[in-house]
Amino acid sequence: ASGIGSIVTSIIGTEKNFRSRSSRVSYKNHQLIRLYPNSQEHVNDLKELEKSESEDVKFWTEPMYNRTTDVVIGPDLVSDLKAFLRYKGIDFKVLIPDLQKTIAHQNPKMTKEQRDDLVTTNGHSMTWKRYHRYGEIVKYLEYLALRYPNIAEVITLGHSYEGQPIKMIKISTGTNKDGEAKPAIWIDAGIHAREWIGSAVATYIVSQLVEKNSSYAKLLDNTDWMILPVVNPDGYEFSHTGDRLWRKTRSNHADDEDDSRFLQLVNRYTRWLWGKCEGVDPNRNFDYHWGEVEEGGASLDPCHETYAGPRAFSEPETKAMADYILANKQNIRVYLTLHSYSQMWLVPWGYTDTKPSDYSELASVAKKAIGAVTKIHGTDYQVGPSADLLYPTSGASDDWAKGVAGIKYAYTVELRDRGRYGFLLPASQIVPTAREIWAGIKTIARLVICNT
Ligand code: ARG
Ligand code: ZN
């Protein structure tokens, strides 16, 4: 066989290295590599590589023309892959030489004693100096509701696949002078399990609005806030305990009754072949043009990272969130969903590359928001339509919020960074990221709700 043929075979042939589900996944000697394709042929080569769906080749960003692509490579493939790239003339750079080391350093450890001390002195253990477990986040919300009962209320939207309560906090100083509910801003995060920075930013915003409420009297006078820091608690916890790079929910639909017997058999076979195919991509599971875009944007294969699920709202997490939003849609003026990474303020649509008729209004508000973001620490954000700037996707929450719930100002915010650490953003960047995003969100609140 020719040299290149055997490299491709060895890349495609690595499915044998299934990870065992019971133990924690290690990324020892896995490398994060940035690729610089500069022709359509390069992009096609990379798409071919992506299609191999090997456990040892994981794309963090889609291969696209004139765009860089970040990919995680398992230790057995690193040298073959580099040979392949050199042979194809695709430039690359190693961003992280050993992912496990970066994982180990990302989140400073806290002992039980330290946590107990924090609870004794502060009433909760949140620090914004580290990423916290779901239980700590929920306890924080409950602490606030107890300590600030006049403005903070914890609402259980439903339960996750594994039975964890999905809790959000509603922050409101009450009705307006006419006794009506105020216009509200919705913020969610943690749709994708591994994107820890989003949930940390969400709880930071909660802390500002509640614990520093006297500094935000005017903002609270005009606006209610509905903040859901972790949409996908099962995935979030699994990214702490099982696989740091887990993205999806933790459901298993192999035995669903409403699937056809044929699909069941196919699913069972792929599961047997691939080992681990749990979970649905919650951000492909919303009921708006669900399952439409297959090319790169959403997959109907349960083993894939962007599996859209067996049907729209198959996941209790997306269903619970959507039901609450629908029940309150007449008050919600702004829908914001926090993701990472790439520093973008994305405007609908994702499912099509045509723009909504009010696109220019949404983009102009977003541009003012990123102006405010950049002022804080100089961090650059890009504004643009999802399908263009990122890649086409169907069934994402922002499209649904605008298309079905009718919330005009719907955005997906892709937080820091641009790939130096990617999903493994060090905890030391929580506060700077949160401060700049909070500036952007306050600007949106003023523009959309207060008209100033
Ligand atoms: N990173 C997000 C995802 O892949 C982006 C979603 C953007 N929204 C959209 N409608 N395309 O889910
Ligand atoms: Zn995401």
Side-chain angles (χ1 to χ4, degrees):
S2 74
I4 200 62
S6 65
I7 287 168
V8 172
T9 327
S10 85
I11 287 173
I12 294 175
T14 48
E15 296 98 43
K16 60 185 186 301
N17 304 324
F18 298 133
R19 300 176 186 146
S20 107
R21 229 153 310 165
S22 49
S23 62
R24 196 184 269 256
V25 174
S26 168
Y27 288 94
K28 189 162 162 12
N29 294 325
H30 284 59
Q31 298 200 336
L32 178 62
I33 295 179
R34 175 156 292 179
L35 309 172
Y36 300 85
N38 59 25
S39 67
Q40 192 53 46
E41 205 187 318
H42 284 168
V43 172
N44 294 343
D45 289 337
L46 296 180
K47 287 208 162 133
E48 212 48 51
L49 182 64
E50 191 183 23
K51 278 208 206 99
S52 74
E53 303 212 329
S54 158
E55 280 298 306
D56 276 336
V57 183
K58 282 256 145 96
F59 281 79
W60 278 8
T61 50
E62 294 286 322
M64 275 198 290
Y65 185 55
N66 262 339
R67 195 95 37 103
T68 64
T69 300
D70 298 340
V71 61
V72 172
I73 305 294
D76 297 347
L77 269 188
V78 166
S79 60
D80 280 357
L81 180 91
K82 289 178 183 169
F84 172 77
L85 295 171
R86 286 193 194 102
Y87 175 84
K88 292 285 185 182
I90 302 175
D91 287 338
F92 65 91
K93 178 172 131 194
V94 176
L95 295 178
I96 301 181
D98 180 354
L99 274 181
Q100 194 58 40
K101 282 204 182 119
T102 309
I103 289 173
H105 289 129
Q106 186 196 16
N107 202 17
K109 295 265 175 304
M110 181 156 65
T111 64
K112 192 178 173 307
E113 288 71 43
Q114 287 170 314
R115 183 171 303 133
D116 291 347
D117 280 353
L118 280 173
V119 174
T120 317
T121 41
N122 301 339
H124 63 83
S125 61
M126 298 293 285
T127 59
W128 296 280
K129 291 188 180 119
R130 60 188 306 282
Y131 297 103
H132 295 273
R133 298 291 293 271
Y134 185 57
E136 293 178 86
I137 294 174
V138 166
K139 281 206 188 99
Y140 177 57
L141 302 184
E142 277 163 353
Y143 156 81
L144 292 177
L146 216 67
R147 171 92 167 63
Y148 303 88
N150 295 330
I151 58 169
E153 179 192 0
V154 174
I155 300 170
T156 302
L157 300 184
H159 290 83
S160 69
Y161 182 81
E162 290 173 350
Q164 302 192 75
I166 300 167
K167 298 212 180 198
M168 60 161 264
I169 188 161
K170 183 175 166 192
I171 303 161
S172 170
T173 52
T175 55
N176 68 15
K177 326 169 219 25
D178 304 324
E180 294 154 349
K182 292 171 191 163
I185 295 185
W186 169 279
I187 304 172
D188 66 62
I191 284 189
H192 289 140
R194 63 193 173 192
E195 299 167 11
W196 291 357
I197 183 63
S199 299
V201 167
T203 56
Y204 176 92
I205 293 170
V206 170
S207 79
Q208 291 289 309
L209 285 169
V210 179
E211 300 197 78
K212 303 220 162 84
N213 63 76
S214 51
S215 325
Y216 298 109
K218 185 145 176 280
L219 209 53
L220 288 163
D221 262 356
N222 294 307
T223 318
D224 284 352
W225 299 78
M226 298 164 177
I227 303 181
L228 170 55
V230 186
V231 178
N232 170 17
D234 297 348
Y236 185 78
E237 279 297 287
F238 190 65
S239 72
H240 281 264
T241 58
D243 181 347
R244 173 64 191 88
L245 297 176
W246 191 258
R247 166 182 170 98
K248 300 190 281 182
T249 60
R250 295 292 299 156
S251 62
N252 190 321
H253 294 285
D255 300 318
D256 278 13
E257 276 174 33
D258 52 345
D259 283 351
S260 77
R261 267 194 67 81
F262 175 70
L263 259 180
Q264 274 185 37
L265 278 173
V266 171
N267 284 350
R268 243 185 246 143
Y269 178 71
T270 34
R271 266 159 234 272
W272 172 79
L273 200 68
W274 288 87
K276 47 168 253 177
C277 299
E278 297 93 352
V280 165
D281 183 343
N283 214 30
R284 301 292 180 276
N285 193 238
F286 284 76
D287 195 5
Y288 187 62
H289 294 275
W290 176 86
E292 267 179 27
V293 185
E294 271 218 58
E295 175 65 33
S299 171
L300 296 177
D301 170 1
C303 304
H304 202 278
E305 288 279 50
T306 58
Y307 177 41
R311 68 204 105 87
F313 290 139
S314 59
E315 305 308 282
E317 297 84 359
T318 53
K319 180 79 170 82
M321 174 175 137
D323 283 348
Y324 184 85
I325 291 179
L326 283 182
N328 293 279
K329 65 176 184 180
Q330 66 288 357
N331 299 322
I332 302 175
R333 294 297 149 76
V334 179
Y335 172 86
L336 289 169
T337 181
L338 306 179
H339 286 255
S340 67
Y341 59 97
S342 58
Q343 296 171 201
M344 291 173 179
W345 207 287
L346 298 170
V347 180
W349 306 107
Y351 80 94
T352 169
D353 46 28
T354 50
K355 292 172 186 160
S357 55
D358 54 2
Y359 176 83
S360 60
E361 275 173 87
L362 271 75
S364 108
V365 166
K367 277 179 193 143
K368 287 175 184 147
I370 66 164
V373 169
T374 305
K375 260 197 194 152
I376 306 291
H377 301 295
T379 312
D380 270 334
Y381 271 71
Q382 263 176 296
V383 169
S386 279
D388 255 34
L389 214 53
L390 216 51
Y391 40 78
T393 60
S394 56
S397 69
D398 51 354
D399 281 11
W400 176 87
K402 186 168 179 62
V404 177
I407 302 167
K408 180 181 174 84
Y409 294 95
Y411 300 103
T412 295
V413 184
E414 297 277 355
L415 302 169
R416 287 193 193 186
D417 55 13
R418 286 211 161 123
R420 168 70 184 83
Y421 294 101
F423 302 117
L424 305 177
L425 193 74
S428 57
Q429 292 197 38
I430 293 172
V431 171
T433 306
R435 285 192 56 213
E436 65 198 16
I437 289 303
W438 181 219
I441 293 178
K442 283 186 288 187
T443 299
I444 291 203
R446 267 183 239 115
L447 286 170
V448 173
I449 296 179
C450 314
N451 277 316
T452 57

